[in-house]
Amino acid sequence: MNSATFRIWRGDARGGEFRDYSTEISEGMVVLDAVHDIQATQANDLACRWNCKAGKCGSCSAEINGMPKLMCMTRLNDLPLDKAVTIEPMKAFPPLKDLITDVSWNFAVKKRIKPFKPRPPDAPDGTWRMAQRDIDRVQEFRKCIECFLCQDVCHVLRDHHKQDQFIGPRFFVYSAALEMHPLDIEDRVVELRETQGIGYCNITKCCTKVCPENIHITDNAIIPLKERVVDDYYDPLGWIWKKIRRRNERSPEPLA
Ligand code: SF4
Ligand code: SF4
Ligand code: FES
């Protein structure tokens, strides 16, 4: 059995430092396994957040060798082990303890986004009719596990600290899922431009590169939302057409 060194950030909101831990490693291990081994044998007070160990709960987000990643989905044999593997908390959020950050800002942002508002049912039995291609378009966005790695990597939040003016890629994905839902009749375009800062995104695609669910955040969510903003604000014919279309959506012909 081999061993490897892990340089783990230890500290809290007042500050901290990296400490080195060596532990035995074996075939198939992921970074979270190594952190658990270190926790069990050398640092019982090491704090890390995790739940599923299957890439589905979004809890174990951290920065591994400087890259935002899920600890449970990062295999040791994909990392160079001839030098220490650095593991530190996400930088875009306030540190709480060791690898745990305070991500509560994200949940406050989510509450500010207008919720799903379906049009009246299409049929007298209270059901709706939707085209499969319209369902397929939003299905991708529903894969989000709220790991917030995209928020962590986005320079608007990470470097420019625009948390009060910019909701971040995760919530553009969330807004896109609602805006493009075939039944939704709410209009979120004014907020996207005025208070949610979509204009700050300069489509660097860093968020897309780190998404563990491979959601095409920029191409499929942010760019179509930006196009809606442009249509509404700078294309008067598009604006009038949209108003007519939305009015018709609110009063669909009842199905026989
Ligand atoms: S594409 Fe936009 S939202 Fe994504 S990381 Fe870049 S600036 Fe942020
Ligand atoms: S969009 Fe991707 S990176 Fe962002 S929170 Fe969801 S799963 Fe994580
Ligand atoms: S422990 Fe759930 S995503 Fe890593």
Side-chain angles (χ1 to χ4, degrees), residues 230-245:
V230 169
D231 284 353
D232 265 27
Y233 277 84
Y234 305 109
D235 174 4
L237 289 177
W239 184 85
I240 293 166
W241 165 244
K242 187 172 150 184
K243 292 291 163 202
I244 294 168
R245 188 165 48 88

Side-chain angles (χ1 to χ4, degrees), residues 8 11 15 24 31 69 86 139 210 228 235:
I8 302 178
E24 290 183 341
V31 168
K69 286 180 183 294
T86 63
Q139 202 62 26
V210 301
R228 286 181 183 218
D235 174 4

Side-chain angles (χ1 to χ4, degrees), residues 164-176:
D164 54 341
Q165 298 168 56
F166 180 74
I167 59 175
R170 158 51 189 143
F171 295 106
F172 293 135
V173 168
Y174 182 65
S175 297

Side-chain angles (χ1 to χ4, degrees), residues 240-254:
I240 293 166
W241 165 244
K242 187 172 150 184
K243 292 291 163 202
I244 294 168
R245 188 165 48 88
R246 287 226 160 115
R247 194 162 54 230
N248 290 343
E249 280 172 356
R250 284 182 178 90
S251 325
E253 288 294 310

